[in-house]
Every structure is written in C-alpha cells, then in structure tokens.
Amino acid sequence: MNRIMEPAHGSQPTADGLDWQPHIIALACNWCTYAGADMAGTLRLAYPPNVHILRLPCTGQMNAMYVLKAFEQGADGVIVSGCHPGDCHYARGNMLARRRAAALRRLMHMLGLDERRLHFAWVSASEGAKWAKLVADVVEEVREAGPIGEWAASETSKRPNGRTSKGPVVLPDAGPPPRGKPSRESTRAVTDHLQTLARELLETGAASQVIGYQQSNSRSADRAIPALVTRPDDAASLTWDETCRSNLTTYLTRSASVRLGEATPVASNGAVDLSIEGKSVASRPAPGAVAVVVKPCDAKSIIALQQEGQLNRQSVIAIGVPCDGVWEGDRMAAKCYACPGGVASLADWTVTEKGAVENAEGKVDGDDRFPLPTAPDPRIAQVEVLWESDAEQRWAFWQEQFRLCLRCDACRATCPLCYCESCITEKHRPQWISPAADSVGNTAWNFIRAFHLVGRCIGCDACADACPADIRLDLINFALAREIEDRFSYRAGEDADAAPPLATFKPDDPQEFIR
Amino acid sequence: MSPRNPRKYVVAEPDIRSWLDELISSGWEVVAPVVERGPCRFERIESASEASLDSSAGIRTRWSAKEFLLPRQETLVEYSACDGSVQFEEAPLDTQPRVLFGLTPCDAAGLERLAAVFRSGPSDPYFQARRDATAVVTITCREAAPECFCTAVGGSPGDEEGSDVQITVIEAEERGASAEERGARPRHTYLVRSLTEKGHRLIENSRASWTPSTDEIEDRVREQLQQVEMTVDRQAIATGSSELLERSFDDSVWNEVADPCLGCRICTTVCPSCSCFDVYDKGSAACGQRCRCWDGCTQKLFTAHATGHNPRNTQVSRLRQRVLHKFSYFPNEHDGLSMCVGCGRCAALCPAGLDVHQTVMRVIERMQSRQPQEGAANGHGA
C-alpha cells in the first residue's frame, strides 16, 4: 500500500527470496545523464530494467527530501547522476550537489540506512555505456543490501527492544565533568550587574527589550526560563546561573526590528514610516534595539544568522555573560566539556563579577577566571561507537528514539537557525513529510531536520534540551558537524563573512564516492 | 460511573505484578509506565516486570496516556480504485480490551474530558470503541510537583473520576525517612479499590488471594491523601471565571502573557485532554488511506485556509485559543467543568517557560482590575 510501485514487482521478497528485484530510482540531470541514458538505448545496450528515471533540470536540484521520499515509498536504492564537473549547464549546480551529496551520505549512514543504497555518478550525454554499467553495478549492490523492508513496519503500539542480531548499541557514559558548578557568589554578582545593565538599557531607550533568563519556582525542571523584559522595573527578574541552558537568540528572528527583510524603514524623525508609496498611513515610535543575554555558544547563532542574512546586527545588543558551563541537575551539558567557558567575544556588553563594560570583546580587566579546564566532548566517543556499529544496529538505535517523537516541534521552535517562515513539515501541497507521529513521519522529520542543519548547526543543543522524548538530537547534529569539519574544514558560527559550506564549493572538493 | 460497592483490598507489590501478568495472560493489553530506554512514559507491556510501579514521588510520565484512546495516528478509511470504480473500506474498530495502568488521578480525569469532546456532536466511533474496551487503573499521588495544580481546577491527588480501580501506596508510619531509606525498605503495600463494574471484573480472578482492607487502613490512606493535597500549592481558578475569561478575548493582557510563546505544540501533545486532530490522506490515485493524526492549535498551520488566509494569524491568538478553550469555552458548555485537569505537564516542559495556571491567573486578575464590580462577584478562591 501507499507505494509508488506496484506490489507485484515491489520490494517484497518471497519466502525463498528469489523473486525479489531491487527497485532503483534515478534522479538524472536533464542535460547529461538523461541524454546519456538515452544514448544507452540508442546504442542498444542492455542493462537491468530495475531503474526508474526521474528527470531533474540539474543535480543541483537534488533535494534530500526526494531521496528520502524514494526510500519512504519503497525504493531499495537511489542513483543521483548528472554532468561531469565543469560541464554543468547552470555553471555550478553539480558542484553544489557534490557537497550536499557528501553530507547526505553521511547522515544516511549515521541513521542506519545502508550506504549501498545511495549512489552518485557523473554520466555525460555521450556515456551511454557508463550509464548501462552504472545501473548494472548499482542493481547488484542494492541486491546485496537487500529489500529496504517496510519502512513503516513498527507499529506505534509495539515497542522495539533495540535488539538486532548484533545486539543494541550502547553509548559510553559521559565521564566526570572537567569542573564544578560556578559559585553562588559569582553568579549572584553577575546577576546584579546584569540587572543594573538591563535597567539602564531600557531606561535610556538604548534597548526596547532585554531578553534574558529568570528563575521559575513553579516547575520541577531545573532550568531557568526566558524573560522578555520591556519595563525597567522588571529587570530585577533577570538572573544568571548554570541552569540557563536555553539559547535565547531563537527569539531574535521573531522580532520585527531585528529580522532583516521585515525591518520597517525608519523616518528621519525616528518614527517608523508605514507609508505606502510615499503616502504615510500611520507612524509609531521607532522600536529600539533588542538586547539578548548570550553564552559563548549562543553567540555563534548570532554570527550564523548574520551570515545567512537573517539578522540586522545593528539592532541586536549582545550581552555576554561569563559561562562556566550549564547543568541539568548534577549533569554538566555535553557541549560544555570541551568549552573553556568565558564571555562571548562578540558581546557588545561584557558582564562579569566585576561589572558591565561596553565593547570589551568578552574581556574585563581583573577577571582572569578563564579559560577553565576542559575535557574531550563525551560525544566524540559516543559518535565513534555509533560509526563502528553496523547499519542495522544504528537503524535500530535511532528508530527506537524516533518512535517516541511526539512531533511537538519544540526542537524547531527552540532552534535559532530554524527561522523559516514556512517549514518543510508545513508544506502539504504536496505533503513532503507525513504530519503523523508514526514511524514514517517521525523518521522523515528527524532526517530532514538534521539535514537542514548540516553545516549550519552551531551546537547550542537547545533542540535536545527541549525534546520531551529525550531524543539525542544533539548527537546527530554533533556527528554531522564533525563530518563537515573533517571534509570542508568548516565550523559553523565562527565567521559571519564565510560562505555556508553547503552553499559553496571548491573545484577540487573530494569526490571519492562519485563514480 | 459512581462508586458502587467499592471492593477494597490490601495487596503487596509482588501480588500487584502477578495481577498484571494475570491480566496479560487472559487477553488484556496492559499499558503501564515504563522507564527503560527513554523517559518515563506509557507503553504497552508484555510482562508486569516492565512496569514502573512507583517511586518516592509517585509516577510522572512525560506525556499522558491519551494515545491509547486517541492514537497519534490511525487509519479511518482505505480506498482503492480499479475498473473505473472506487472501493472504500472502513478501518475495523479497535475493540482490544485494554487496561491503562498507573495513571495519575488527573490523567484519568483528562481522559474523561477527552471523552466529553468526542461525545459531543456526532459520536466518534473510533474513539468510543477504544473507550468502551478500556479500563483505567489509577495510582494516587504521593507528592505534588511544583507544576501540579489539580486542586485549582477541581481535582485532587486522590480523585476517583475516570478510575475503574484506584491504588494507593500505604505509606509506612515514618514519613520523614529519606528517599534512600525508603528505597532500601522492602516493597510497598497498596490499598486497591475497585470502583466500578469494570473495575470489579478486572480484579475478579486475582482478588481471591488478596487481604480485605480495614477501616483503619482506609482512614490512614484518606489522611495521607489529604496531606498530599495540601502540598498542591496553587490558587483555585473559580468556576465562574470562564465568562470573565471569555471577555478577555480582545484584551491587551494576552500580548503580555503570550509574548514568550515559541509556537511549538509541546503543550498540546503532552496534554491529557487536548483532543485536536488533523485528517490527511496518504497513497496514490490507485489506493491509499484516509487517516487522522494529532494536531495542535498552538501551531499556525492548524487554522490556515487553503486560500492562504489564517484567522489565527498571530502566536498570541493561537496561545489564547488553547487557554480559552480549556478554561472558558469548554467550561461554558459543560457546567463550568474545567477542561484542564491540572497535571502541569505543559508548564513543566514548555521551552518558553509558560505556565498555564499562571497565565490564567494573570488574565483573570487583569480582567478583575478592569471591571472592579464584576471582579468582586467573580472573585477567585474556591
């Protein structure tokens, strides 16, 4: 049911497994590979009939969603094929696709989809023979990988036990944290200076809003909650301590005065000009800048948002606070192990125990607590265990987590880089991602969420922190960030002028996986 | 479903587990809190040993058990087109006998609210079939979490609404013992009371080996529950508040209270009484299914029209909808009954730190300050 192929020659193996034929979807570029496949026909070359070609204008249009959808609907393998480097009819589509494909393969691999199912090739219009051989080779590899199986097999009412023929993946525990919690005196002193600064910013009108943290005594969760302060008197509610785990910069793109493209033009008298074709219809006082309390990790999202043209940096006042690491109960957050702490260097105001200083770039005289001792990020070892397990084990590991996903979208809401006005999961003509919190919908959502953050995620772990199902979203993001760093020597959130890694290319990018 | 001849027994923990195993082997599907490999949550169990029976604070699952009455996803109709005609086949109703074990009293009340929604208007056969086949076993609370506010909306830690069987841990005399000491002590004993005909049937085969309880034990348990009730430390939301809240619709207070809302639906998905669903199709021109799945009013797609128009076009209007539905629209149609049962899950998990009880109290207070005369008439305090 619900497959693009008829069950009769779909991927259902018979009892003896002999009649099963792999189904391959080929995403072929119109100019090279499609013509190349045509050439194979003209040359009367025989190749297995298992491939269905979907013609794209360019491999640059290869969308992770297309690949995912093919697998979701029963394809056992996917080929993406287009023009050789240098031959792209849109100049660089295939080069961008090469980077995207590299990331997509690694994500697929991490989530336990057998890499033998996804193939890339350069096939020109004259390479009919190469196309025929490619299809024959891929069919054999996919045959070895076997049928994709019923993606939606696990009923929600049944609980898989994570067991596979090789046993479940067991992740190593995080070792002892490299340091303890900050002292109460320290956080109290910072809180005092922070409150004074916030009050001043609001009183002088330098900021129209201060986004900070406040304590909540009405929840059992050991976590400070956001405080959106606009009245100077309310600055007294602000706080700073090790429970300030969330990343408040997610509020920035929700602010009309901060988000680029939505900023209203300001007239010479300082009033917001709401004129239509020069005819003023209304005016109100100009909204001031928005001040936001940031840890060093959160600050990276300001850079990433700037880099992606989403944020008017002039409208943001970054208040850097000295971070010793954040904690959930007696567990230090994984992201803090390798971080030496301190104040974000991009801070417009640096607040420490000693006071609040403007334009201090994260350093205040007399405050020499940092850098703090570090330890390797515990996720390095965890990701290694996952990479070393086999695909079946990884699939079981992630499916067990994804099946608990409620599709509440808290991961998206808390992510500072999930700023799209309309998310892929909300697009329903066609429905790319099933809205249901079932295995099809949950796998698709978690897959695409991760892919849309490849090379962009700055590692604040707000998503994993918010997840009610405790899905290790941070581990997926972390694993992919390492792959991007290894391959493209790029770390997200460090340089506002750098091109995002999947939006650029180098002519000599590695392509060991492309035939 | 008022209690008729409740049957009361004192049962040791191993006997509770044998009872569950008995139910499983006699064909009941048993759903119970599970803590292995994930957060504490309700799962169908194959053996009583998988169930998390209790902790010092009582059992708190991350989300409610509503998915066993209103699944996250279910097929309503299957269709197939061949030879120029279309065949429809309704999905069979789920009549599997099912025990929801280990719910808190507020969870059970939440399922009652859910039932009230699905009862109103044309009856929902999918929900009703599950509901009829389901028995609910609650375990009363031993401690209130900071976000708990059942008493503010008419419930209590020992509330019997929606329970077929209710279980209470009989606390050892010395309440001051530390969690560690309590953990080290031999297993608990429980007061098991079956409250309905369904409940009687549930314990029918196992109760022979249980000890009938005594008045003394019941008195002690009642006293215990009263103590827990006193620790639920939230101001009551008066039954008359629903009209006041309805008048707040256009008030600017909503801009303030809803400001931090990030527009996810963590609150609606974990909620025991949020009932909204989306209907969607999957399949091709040849065959497929019409299904329904959870949806939530706090997200913008919920009310988006095909034209692109969205009547609830701001996050403020969406959050207001959820709060007013729980505390105004539903009570107005159900004799003042609050749709919210005060489990506090939404408040505990909201990444923006919104606490629905505080939100409601703020709106009520603002409205009272605007209309001092009516405010006095609608004063809160139970």
Side-chain angles (χ1 to χ4, degrees):
Chain A
M1 279 307 230
N2 189 28
R3 290 176 167 253
I4 41 181
M5 297 93 178
E6 291 304 314
H9 64 141
S11 52
Q12 300 302 318
T14 55
D16 57 8
L18 289 177
D19 292 332
W20 169 71
Q21 286 293 327
H23 253 103
I24 316 286
I25 293 289
L27 303 175
C29 132
N30 176 55
W31 304 104
C32 290
T33 301
Y34 193 78
D38 205 30
M39 173 66 79
T42 311
L43 292 174
R44 316 254 161 189
L45 298 174
Y47 63 86
N50 307 53
V51 66
H52 292 236
I53 297 180
L54 184 66
R55 187 154 50 151
L56 301 181
C58 175
T59 45
Q61 209 205 346
M62 188 269 297
N63 186 319
M65 197 67 241
Y66 300 167
V67 175
L68 177 65
K69 205 75 183 164
F71 289 128
E72 196 181 271
Q73 302 215 348
D76 303 298
V78 172
I79 299 172
V80 180
S81 178
C83 307
H84 285 267
D87 291 350
C88 179
H89 288 52
Y90 305 94
R92 46 187 233 137
N94 57 352
M95 310 300 277
L96 291 168
R98 183 167 64 185
R99 284 199 161 201
R100 210 178 306 146
L104 180 58
R105 280 180 92 242
R106 295 311 280 167
L107 174 60
M108 248 186 82
H109 198 46
M110 172 44 77
L111 298 187
L113 270 159
D114 197 320
E115 271 180 318
R116 288 174 296 185
R117 301 189 188 281
L118 183 59
H119 299 271
F120 298 86
W122 308 131
V123 175
S124 78
S126 64
E127 292 178 317
K130 184 175 179 183
W131 172 256
K133 182 170 186 312
L134 171 72
V135 174
D137 290 351
V138 168
V139 167
E140 277 326 297
E141 283 199 41
V142 174
R143 201 186 298 280
E144 278 170 30
I148 186 118
E150 192 72 51
W151 189 289
S154 52
E155 296 168 50
T156 42
S157 63
K158 276 199 187 142
R159 188 151 49 102
N161 53 20
R163 281 180 216 120
T164 64
S165 51
K166 290 197 178 169
V169 177
V170 179
L171 300 183
D173 287 336
R179 53 188 187 262
K181 295 182 181 181
S183 71
R184 279 287 146 260
E185 293 74 47
S186 164
T187 54
R188 210 169 291 142
V190 173
T191 297
D192 287 346
H193 294 305
L194 178 64
Q195 290 176 356
T196 311
L197 172 66
R199 171 179 276 278
E200 206 173 286
L201 290 172
L202 292 168
E203 272 173 353
T204 59
S208 62
Q209 186 182 44
V210 177
I211 305 173
Y213 299 96
Q214 62 184 330
Q215 287 305 340
S216 161
N217 52 11
S218 66
R219 19 201 284 159
S220 41
D222 180 19
R223 164 162 60 183
I225 61 175
L228 312 186
V229 177
T230 51
R231 284 183 303 214
D233 285 347
D234 294 342
S237 67
L238 295 174
T239 188
W240 166 253
D241 66 15
E242 74 285 353
T243 68
C244 296
R245 295 203 298 276
S246 51
N247 182 348
L248 301 173
T249 65
T250 192
Y251 282 105
L252 291 178
T253 48
R254 288 168 165 83
S255 162
S257 64
V258 171
R259 183 150 192 190
L260 276 181
E262 290 184 9
T264 327
V266 179
S268 53
N269 65 358
V272 173
D273 184 6
L274 291 178
S275 61
I276 296 172
E277 291 174 350
K279 258 174 102 180
S280 181
V281 291
S283 66
R284 59 191 167 96
V290 172
V292 61
V293 175
V294 289
K295 305 184 287 288
C297 47
D298 306 337
K300 291 181 185 172
S301 42
I302 293 183
I303 293 174
L305 288 168
Q306 247 181 300
Q307 196 180 0
E308 298 184 6
Q310 295 300 320
L311 180 129
N312 180 1
R313 184 66 180 85
Q314 306 308 315
S315 300
V316 176
I317 300 172
I319 303 177
V321 282
C323 187
D324 289 49
V326 291
W327 294 67
E328 183 173 8
D330 54 5
R331 279 190 308 133
M332 184 189 237
K335 65 177 174 178
C336 302
Y337 275 63
C339 173
V343 182
S345 58
L346 67 61
D348 300 304
W349 280 91
T350 299
V351 181
T352 69
E353 297 159 42
K354 311 286 174 198
V357 183
E358 195 171 8
N359 295 325
E361 295 182 346
K363 300 264 177 277
V364 168
D365 288 343
D367 194 77
D368 50 4
R369 287 202 299 129
F370 302 103
L372 298 167
T374 59
D377 192 310
R379 291 170 299 187
I380 295 174
Q382 295 174 341
V383 165
E384 266 163 23
V385 167
L386 277 168
W387 286 130
E388 280 161 16
S389 61
D390 69 12
E392 188 197 358
Q393 288 173 300
R394 282 195 299 277
W395 179 256
F397 176 84
W398 287 113
Q399 286 299 308
E400 190 178 33
Q401 304 223 346
F402 293 164
R403 65 177 280 279
L404 296 180
C405 174
L406 298 161
R407 300 294 294 285
C408 70
D409 295 333
C411 46
R412 188 184 73 180
T414 52
C415 177
L417 288 160
C418 277
Y419 52 70
C420 292
E421 283 289 312
S422 178
C423 173
I424 180 79
T425 179
E426 285 162 358
K427 292 191 174 22
H428 53 109
R429 286 176 292 184
Q431 185 91 57
W432 284 110
I433 296 178
S434 165
D438 59 7
S439 63
V440 173
N442 287 359
T443 302
W445 164 245
N446 284 283
F447 186 105
I448 290 297
R449 187 208 64 84
F451 190 72
H452 283 186
L453 284 162
V454 170
R456 302 174 63 237
C457 171
I458 51 95
C460 69
D461 300 344
C463 51
D465 192 45
C467 180
D470 292 347
I471 299 173
R472 288 297 306 274
L473 301 168
D474 66 315
L475 206 55
I476 307 176
N477 297 342
F478 182 80
L480 268 293
R482 277 169 66 81
E483 294 297 309
I484 291 292
E485 185 174 353
D486 284 353
R487 203 169 178 93
F488 305 123
S489 309
Y490 176 91
R491 279 202 293 251
E494 296 198 341
D495 178 2
D497 296 321
L502 295 196
T504 188
F505 66 92
K506 287 187 181 141
D508 57 348
D509 276 337
Q511 54 171 21
E512 76 292 345
F513 62 93
I514 302 183
R515 293 168 202 240
Chain B
M1 289 260 199
S2 61
R4 265 193 301 173
N5 307 321
R7 298 178 186 171
K8 305 160 191 176
Y9 302 89
V10 174
V11 187
E13 179 171 329
D15 291 337
I16 295 269
R17 292 196 189 267
S18 340
W19 172 43
L20 290 181
D21 279 330
E22 216 289 310
L23 289 171
I24 293 169
S25 61
S26 57
W28 288 86
E29 182 182 302
V30 176
V31 171
V34 166
V35 289
E36 296 268 296
R37 308 177 77 89
C40 184
R41 66 216 183 262
F42 290 107
E43 296 259 22
R44 173 182 166 183
I45 57 169
E46 309 287 343
S47 148
S49 59
E50 294 170 52
S52 164
L53 256 184
D54 199 37
S55 70
S56 60
I59 301 158
R60 284 187 214 292
T61 56
R62 274 301 158 80
W63 50 87
S64 79
K66 79 171 167 196
E67 65 188 292
F68 297 95
L69 292 184
L70 177 66
R72 298 172 182 208
Q73 185 266 356
E74 68 182 313
T75 299
L76 306 178
V77 177
E78 298 208 11
Y79 67 86
S80 59
C82 54
D83 304 331
S85 71
V86 184
Q87 271 77 49
F88 294 98
E89 199 180 325
E90 280 194 50
L93 297 177
D94 177 4
T95 53
Q96 165 67 41
R98 190 172 284 123
V99 181
L100 304 185
F101 175 87
L103 276 65
T104 53
C106 56
D107 265 341
L111 298 182
E112 289 291 295
R113 301 300 175 274
L114 211 54
V117 170
F118 284 99
R119 248 195 331 261
S120 60
S123 169
D124 185 294
Y126 310 97
F127 182 91
Q128 202 52 50
R130 285 196 186 85
R131 171 95 187 142
D132 291 343
T134 298
V136 174
V137 179
T138 51
I139 301 185
T140 57
C141 299
R142 304 179 65 195
E143 242 173 62
E147 59 269 11
C148 287
F149 62 99
C150 57
T151 54
V153 288
S156 76
D159 199 2
E160 293 173 2
E161 186 189 7
S163 299
D164 296 302
V165 174
Q166 188 163 76
I167 300 180
T168 305
V169 178
I170 303 170
E171 301 284 357
E173 292 296 346
E174 67 277 50
R175 267 291 281 179
S178 73
E180 274 170 23
E181 286 166 345
R182 271 184 269 168
R185 195 174 294 150
R187 290 158 174 172
H188 293 299
T189 50
Y190 299 85
L191 173 67
V192 177
R193 298 179 306 139
S194 79
L195 305 169
T196 63
E197 281 302 324
K198 220 184 231 177
H200 297 341
R201 279 205 305 278
L202 216 52
I203 61 168
E204 198 53 53
N205 290 335
S206 297
R207 69 188 171 103
S209 61
W210 296 352
T211 320
S213 104
T214 61
D215 287 349
E216 186 220 358
I217 284 173
E218 280 154 45
D219 287 346
R220 197 159 102 208
V221 161
R222 204 171 299 121
E223 198 178 305
Q224 231 172 264
L225 287 170
Q226 276 164 3
Q227 277 171 11
V228 178
E229 186 167 340
M230 281 182 332
T231 64
V232 186
D233 187 23
R234 298 278 188 122
Q235 197 173 9
I237 295 169
T239 26
S241 308
S242 61
E243 284 158 26
L244 190 69
L245 283 165
E246 196 168 11
R247 284 202 299 277
S248 75
F249 191 87
D250 289 319
D251 199 279
S252 62
V253 66
W254 285 105
N255 293 325
E256 294 166 34
V257 296
D259 204 18
C261 178
L262 289 164
C264 68
R265 39 184 187 190
I266 205 167
C267 47
T268 65
T269 51
V270 300
C271 178
S273 69
C274 267
S275 58
C276 291
F277 56 81
D278 184 19
V279 173
Y280 69 103
D281 297 319
K282 55 182 187 185
S284 63
C287 60
Q289 296 117 27
R290 169 152 291 190
C291 309
R292 73 174 169 191
C293 64
W294 287 359
D295 204 348
C297 59
T298 50
Q299 209 183 39
K300 67 178 173 191
L301 203 62
F302 186 74
T303 44
H305 293 182
T307 58
H309 172 67
N310 193 341
R312 285 186 212 131
N313 207 20
T314 60
Q315 199 50 45
V316 171
S317 63
R318 296 188 276 268
L319 183 83
R320 180 184 62 198
Q321 165 62 25
R322 176 164 192 268
V323 176
L324 290 185
H325 189 200
K326 297 270 184 237
F327 294 92
S328 179
Y329 311 148
F330 184 94
N332 284 348
E333 286 174 11
H334 294 86
D335 297 327
L337 190 65
S338 167
M339 190 180 185
C340 172
V341 291
C343 73
R345 286 190 181 92
C346 56
L349 291 166
C350 176
L354 292 175
D355 178 315
V356 72
H357 179 264
Q358 287 172 355
T359 301
V360 170
M361 292 316 291
R362 262 180 81 180
V363 175
I364 288 177
E365 277 160 25
R366 185 67 61 87
M367 293 309 289
Q368 283 171 340
S369 72
R370 299 229 155 127
Q371 293 159 313
Q373 287 168 343
E374 288 177 33
N378 285 314
H380 41 71

